[in-house]
Amino acid sequence: MQETLNFGKSEKEKIRKALLAFEQAPTTSYFEEQRAKKDGCTITLYDSGKVSIQGKNAAKVKDELLAMLGLQPRLVIGIDE
């Protein structure tokens, strides 16, 4: 499973600090800023502010990360051009 969160570049430092609570992993490409592991999931923070959570427990890890950041999930529907 995969979960995706989108943040602005101004929020990246707060996310980086939160991800330090998890096991750190090496990044695999130049556009990745940070990687972490939690409960069998890989969490990747990209330069753009996007966060990708991949693994069986992705929804659980997403909820935990949002709680650490003091945020609630919300659905945003948009179109990529």
Side-chain angles (χ1 to χ4, degrees), residues 13-32:
E13 190 57 35
K14 187 175 181 179
I15 298 163
R16 287 176 57 78
K17 287 180 182 176
L19 290 179
L20 289 175
F22 305 140
E23 175 189 346
Q24 297 300 290
T27 57
T28 60
S29 65
Y30 70 92
F31 47 84
E32 295 178 359

Side-chain angles (χ1 to χ4, degrees), residues 25-75:
T27 57
T28 60
S29 65
Y30 70 92
F31 47 84
E32 295 178 359
E33 217 169 280
Q34 186 177 8
R35 267 192 183 217
K37 301 242 181 216
K38 171 75 171 149
D39 295 338
C41 294
T42 299
I43 309 157
T44 307
L45 172 62
Y46 294 93
D47 289 335
S48 64
K50 175 181 168 181
V51 175
S52 172
I53 305 166
Q54 297 176 308
K56 268 178 77 172
N57 298 310
K60 177 182 169 252
V61 172
K62 176 191 79 169
D63 291 342
E64 187 174 335
L65 180 60
L66 287 173
M68 290 172 72
L69 296 169
L71 300 172
Q72 295 292 322
R74 61 180 191 174
L75 178 63

